[in-house]
Amino acid sequence: MATLLKDLFPPYASLSGWSRRRTDRCILGFCLLGSVIVGITVLALANIAITELADPVHLFEVATSSEVVGSILLTFGAGLNAVLLLILFGTPLAYVLARSQPSRKKEMVESIIDIPLILPHTVAGLLVYLLFMRRGWLGAPLSDVGLAFEDAYPGTVVAMLFVASPFYINTMREGFEKVPVHLENVARTLGATRLQTFWKVTLPLSFRHMYNGSILAWGRAIGEFAAVIMIAYYPFIVSTLIYYSFTTDGIRTSRSIAFTVIIVSFAVFLVLRRLTRYVGRYDDRV
């Protein structure tokens, strides 16, 4: 069609070329501005990479040590558990917020959900600690049944869940809002219950947002430090191990641990991001 218009209407051809040149300049300008952020990240990575690759023997010893490997697996596993809990409890909440009408109560709930985003990490950790410590409102009754949070794995998970919850809930809420309500109404008129409509219509159409929200929440969870050490300094997650190594062994070992975490995290998130193109692709077209 564009070729036909160029042949029939020469002014269109010149206008089209002019528009493309303007668009190219615009994109070029955007790329230059955005490259500042990318460039800073690349420089930071290059700085640590050049130093660590200069001594590959020490890097290999640190990266393959049982302490580092166990800490990475513990961190990723705790983050995954936090995300699974968010999927279980956060998905229904996100749906209710997406389908409820604007009101002061809704704004209040959304503001409460966003609190972990605006709080300093130490304050978030203090909130988690006061609630789940052995004498806390939730920690006391749960410790009576054998579930301890202080310096224990459950404490790590609950701290990660607290700081990561806004990322998942807000992403899922936006996903549910993009699903046309009339599709749910059609399913209801065909005899489906509210739960059946949610499970067979709304949730599949929002699965891409669930996947992206889970990645964001997982990344936020495994990167947490202050909130975790407030309630569970032990067992060591990656961020705690790096801090402990820095204060005891100095910069060399902690830098090697950090570089190992960077490589592993980059590889994992690269795979997860590549899978994004296949998750919910058909549903998006619908």
Side-chain angles (χ1 to χ4, degrees):
M1 177 61 70
T3 303
L4 179 60
L5 289 173
K6 290 177 183 178
D7 294 337
L8 295 178
F9 304 99
Y12 171 82
S14 61
L15 179 60
S16 177
W18 180 80
S19 298
R20 285 200 301 271
R21 287 194 297 272
R22 289 293 298 273
T23 302
D24 291 343
R25 293 194 188 105
C26 178
I27 296 300
L28 179 60
F30 287 173
C31 290
L32 292 175
L33 292 174
S35 64
V36 174
I37 298 177
V38 178
I40 293 174
T41 304
V42 171
L43 287 176
L45 293 175
N47 185 22
I48 189 174
I50 293 174
T51 306
E52 287 301 314
L53 295 178
D55 190 2
V57 176
H58 178 263
L59 175 62
F60 181 78
E61 291 177 354
V62 173
T64 57
S65 64
S66 59
E67 186 178 25
V68 173
V69 174
S71 179
I72 292 176
L73 294 177
L74 175 68
T75 304
F76 285 7
L80 178 60
N81 287 338
V83 170
L84 292 177
L85 290 174
L86 282 174
I87 292 175
L88 178 62
F89 296 103
T91 303
L93 174 59
Y95 180 76
V96 172
L97 292 175
R99 289 294 178 259
S100 59
Q101 297 297 323
S103 64
R104 292 183 178 179
K105 294 181 180 179
K106 179 181 178 180
E107 293 173 355
M108 179 65 68
V109 173
E110 290 177 337
S111 299
I112 293 174
I113 293 172
D114 290 336
I115 283 179
L117 289 175
I118 60 177
L119 288 179
H121 294 187
T122 50
V123 176
L126 186 61
L127 291 177
V128 174
Y129 174 75
L130 292 175
L131 185 61
F132 288 94
M133 65 179 183
R134 291 183 178 88
R135 300 185 304 275
W137 285 358
L138 293 181
L142 291 175
S143 62
D144 291 339
V145 298
L147 185 58
F149 291 88
E150 291 188 55
D151 289 332
Y153 182 78
T156 301
V157 174
V158 74
M160 290 182 174
L161 184 148
F162 182 77
V163 298
S165 58
F167 294 87
Y168 178 81
I169 295 174
N170 289 333
T171 303
M172 278 304 300
R173 175 175 54 81
E174 294 176 0
F176 287 139
E177 288 176 348
K178 291 182 179 180
V179 178
V181 180
H182 71 266
L183 293 179
E184 296 181 351
N185 294 335
V186 170
R188 296 296 301 276
T189 59
L190 294 176
T193 63
R194 171 73 71 176
L195 182 60
Q196 290 173 333
T197 301
F198 172 79
W199 188 256
K200 295 183 178 180
V201 178
T202 311
L203 192 60
L205 292 174
S206 306
F207 187 74
R208 189 182 185 92
H209 285 81
M210 175 180 286
Y211 181 79
N212 289 332
S214 298
I215 292 177
L216 291 175
W218 187 64
R220 178 64 183 85
I222 65 177
E224 182 54 34
F225 170 64
V228 174
I229 65 171
M230 295 289 286
I231 188 172
Y233 191 83
Y234 299 99
F236 282 156
I237 61 172
V238 165
S239 56
T240 309
L241 178 62
I242 293 174
Y243 176 76
Y244 175 80
S245 177
F246 178 77
T247 56
T248 56
D249 299 330
I251 187 64
R252 188 184 181 195
T253 302
S254 60
R255 186 181 58 206
S256 298
I257 299 174
F259 185 69
T260 302
V261 173
I262 290 172
I263 296 300
V264 174
S265 300
F266 179 77
V268 171
F269 275 89
L270 181 62
V271 172
L272 293 176
R273 284 303 183 187
R274 287 186 64 86
L275 293 176
T276 303
R277 68 180 67 179
Y278 305 108
V279 175
R281 182 173 55 180
Y282 174 79
D283 295 334
D284 285 349
R285 287 201 300 267
V286 172

